[in-house]
Short mmCIF file of all heavy atoms in Angstrom, two decimals:
data_model
loop_
_atom_site.label_atom_id
_atom_site.label_comp_id
_atom_site.label_asym_id
_atom_site.label_seq_id
_atom_site.Cartn_x
_atom_site.Cartn_y
_atom_site.Cartn_z
N MET A 13 143.92 159.81 239.52
CA MET A 13 143.55 158.56 238.87
C MET A 13 142.99 157.57 239.88
O MET A 13 142.00 156.88 239.61
CB MET A 13 144.79 157.96 238.20
CG MET A 13 144.51 156.81 237.26
SD MET A 13 144.10 157.43 235.61
CE MET A 13 142.89 156.23 235.09
N LYS A 65 138.78 148.51 243.60
CA LYS A 65 138.87 148.03 242.22
C LYS A 65 139.28 149.17 241.28
O LYS A 65 139.04 150.33 241.57
CB LYS A 65 137.52 147.47 241.78
CG LYS A 65 137.00 146.31 242.63
CD LYS A 65 137.91 145.10 242.53
CE LYS A 65 137.36 143.94 243.35
NZ LYS A 65 138.32 142.80 243.36
N PRO A 66 139.87 148.81 240.16
CA PRO A 66 140.17 149.84 239.15
C PRO A 66 138.89 150.53 238.71
O PRO A 66 137.84 149.89 238.61
CB PRO A 66 140.78 149.04 237.99
CG PRO A 66 141.20 147.73 238.58
CD PRO A 66 140.27 147.46 239.72
N ASN A 67 138.98 151.82 238.46
CA ASN A 67 137.82 152.54 237.96
C ASN A 67 137.81 152.52 236.42
O ASN A 67 138.71 151.94 235.79
CB ASN A 67 137.78 153.97 238.51
CG ASN A 67 139.02 154.78 238.16
OD1 ASN A 67 139.39 154.91 236.99
ND2 ASN A 67 139.70 155.31 239.18
N GLU A 68 136.81 153.14 235.85
CA GLU A 68 136.67 153.12 234.39
C GLU A 68 137.88 153.75 233.69
O GLU A 68 138.30 153.30 232.62
CB GLU A 68 135.39 153.84 233.96
CG GLU A 68 135.12 153.75 232.47
CD GLU A 68 133.87 154.51 232.05
OE1 GLU A 68 133.26 155.17 232.91
OE2 GLU A 68 133.53 154.44 230.85
N GLY A 69 138.47 154.77 234.33
CA GLY A 69 139.65 155.40 233.75
C GLY A 69 140.80 154.43 233.60
O GLY A 69 141.44 154.35 232.54
N HIS A 70 141.06 153.65 234.65
CA HIS A 70 142.11 152.62 234.58
C HIS A 70 141.81 151.64 233.44
O HIS A 70 142.71 151.26 232.67
CB HIS A 70 142.17 151.82 235.89
CG HIS A 70 142.68 152.57 237.07
ND1 HIS A 70 141.87 152.94 238.12
CD2 HIS A 70 143.93 152.99 237.40
CE1 HIS A 70 142.60 153.55 239.04
NE2 HIS A 70 143.84 153.61 238.62
N LYS A 71 140.57 151.21 233.36
CA LYS A 71 140.21 150.20 232.37
C LYS A 71 140.34 150.72 230.94
O LYS A 71 140.79 150.00 230.03
CB LYS A 71 138.78 149.71 232.63
CG LYS A 71 138.63 148.96 233.96
CD LYS A 71 137.18 148.63 234.25
CE LYS A 71 137.03 147.94 235.60
NZ LYS A 71 135.60 147.68 235.93
N LEU A 72 139.97 151.99 230.72
CA LEU A 72 140.08 152.56 229.38
C LEU A 72 141.54 152.75 228.97
O LEU A 72 141.89 152.56 227.80
CB LEU A 72 139.32 153.88 229.32
CG LEU A 72 137.79 153.76 229.38
CD1 LEU A 72 137.14 155.12 229.48
CD2 LEU A 72 137.26 153.01 228.14
N VAL A 73 142.39 153.12 229.92
CA VAL A 73 143.82 153.20 229.62
C VAL A 73 144.33 151.83 229.17
O VAL A 73 145.07 151.71 228.19
CB VAL A 73 144.61 153.70 230.85
CG1 VAL A 73 146.12 153.50 230.65
CG2 VAL A 73 144.31 155.18 231.10
N ALA A 74 143.93 150.78 229.88
CA ALA A 74 144.35 149.42 229.51
C ALA A 74 143.82 149.03 228.12
O ALA A 74 144.53 148.39 227.33
CB ALA A 74 143.86 148.42 230.55
N GLN A 75 142.61 149.46 227.80
CA GLN A 75 142.01 149.10 226.51
C GLN A 75 142.71 149.77 225.33
O GLN A 75 142.60 149.31 224.19
CB GLN A 75 140.52 149.44 226.51
CG GLN A 75 139.68 148.48 227.35
CD GLN A 75 138.21 148.88 227.36
OE1 GLN A 75 137.66 149.32 226.35
NE2 GLN A 75 137.58 148.73 228.51
N LEU A 76 143.44 150.85 225.59
CA LEU A 76 144.19 151.50 224.51
C LEU A 76 145.20 150.54 223.89
O LEU A 76 145.61 150.72 222.73
CB LEU A 76 144.93 152.73 225.04
CG LEU A 76 144.08 153.95 225.44
CD1 LEU A 76 144.97 155.02 226.08
CD2 LEU A 76 143.36 154.54 224.21
N GLU A 77 145.60 149.51 224.64
CA GLU A 77 146.57 148.55 224.12
C GLU A 77 146.04 147.75 222.94
O GLU A 77 146.81 147.11 222.21
CB GLU A 77 147.04 147.61 225.23
CG GLU A 77 147.83 148.32 226.33
CD GLU A 77 148.48 147.36 227.31
OE1 GLU A 77 148.60 146.15 226.98
OE2 GLU A 77 148.87 147.81 228.41
N GLU A 78 144.73 147.77 222.73
CA GLU A 78 144.16 147.08 221.58
C GLU A 78 144.64 147.70 220.26
O GLU A 78 144.75 147.01 219.25
CB GLU A 78 142.63 147.13 221.64
CG GLU A 78 142.04 146.39 222.84
CD GLU A 78 140.54 146.62 222.97
OE1 GLU A 78 139.95 147.26 222.05
OE2 GLU A 78 139.96 146.18 223.97
N LEU A 92 146.50 149.37 240.66
CA LEU A 92 145.22 149.40 239.98
C LEU A 92 145.37 149.38 238.45
O LEU A 92 144.52 148.83 237.75
CB LEU A 92 144.39 150.61 240.43
CG LEU A 92 143.93 150.56 241.89
CD1 LEU A 92 143.24 151.85 242.29
CD2 LEU A 92 143.02 149.36 242.13
N HIS A 93 146.44 149.98 237.94
CA HIS A 93 146.66 149.89 236.49
C HIS A 93 146.88 148.44 236.07
O HIS A 93 146.33 147.97 235.07
CB HIS A 93 147.87 150.74 236.08
CG HIS A 93 147.58 152.19 235.95
ND1 HIS A 93 146.70 152.69 235.01
CD2 HIS A 93 148.05 153.27 236.64
CE1 HIS A 93 146.65 154.01 235.12
NE2 HIS A 93 147.44 154.38 236.10
N GLN A 95 145.88 145.77 237.73
CA GLN A 95 144.61 145.05 237.89
C GLN A 95 143.68 145.29 236.71
O GLN A 95 142.92 144.39 236.31
CB GLN A 95 143.92 145.49 239.18
CG GLN A 95 144.52 144.94 240.46
CD GLN A 95 143.62 145.22 241.66
OE1 GLN A 95 142.43 144.93 241.62
NE2 GLN A 95 144.19 145.79 242.70
N ALA A 96 143.73 146.49 236.13
CA ALA A 96 142.86 146.82 235.00
C ALA A 96 143.31 146.18 233.70
O ALA A 96 142.55 146.13 232.74
CB ALA A 96 142.78 148.34 234.84
N GLY A 97 144.57 145.71 233.67
CA GLY A 97 145.05 145.04 232.46
C GLY A 97 146.20 145.70 231.75
O GLY A 97 146.67 145.19 230.73
N SER A 98 146.69 146.84 232.24
CA SER A 98 147.85 147.47 231.61
C SER A 98 149.07 146.58 231.80
O SER A 98 149.32 146.06 232.90
CB SER A 98 148.11 148.85 232.22
OG SER A 98 147.11 149.77 231.83
N SER A 219 137.85 159.24 234.93
CA SER A 219 137.03 158.31 234.14
C SER A 219 136.25 159.03 233.05
O SER A 219 136.24 158.61 231.89
CB SER A 219 136.06 157.55 235.06
OG SER A 219 136.77 156.67 235.91
N MET A 222 138.70 160.37 230.42
CA MET A 222 139.27 159.29 229.61
C MET A 222 138.24 158.72 228.65
O MET A 222 138.56 158.32 227.53
CB MET A 222 139.81 158.20 230.54
CG MET A 222 140.71 157.19 229.85
SD MET A 222 142.14 157.91 229.05
CE MET A 222 142.27 156.81 227.64
N PHE A 226 139.04 158.59 224.81
CA PHE A 226 139.05 157.25 224.24
C PHE A 226 138.31 157.25 222.90
O PHE A 226 138.76 156.64 221.93
CB PHE A 226 138.39 156.28 225.20
CG PHE A 226 138.52 154.83 224.82
CD1 PHE A 226 139.66 154.10 225.13
CD2 PHE A 226 137.48 154.18 224.15
CE1 PHE A 226 139.77 152.76 224.79
CE2 PHE A 226 137.58 152.84 223.80
CZ PHE A 226 138.74 152.14 224.12
#
Side-chain angles (χ1 to χ4, degrees):
M13 192 85 215
K65 301 296 182 185
N67 59 55
E68 185 182 4
H70 290 110
K71 294 174 183 177
L72 289 173
V73 167
Q75 286 178 38
L76 290 174
E77 294 189 17
E78 296 172 6
L92 293 175
H93 280 296
Q95 285 191 50
S98 289
S219 292
M222 193 58 214
F226 189 83

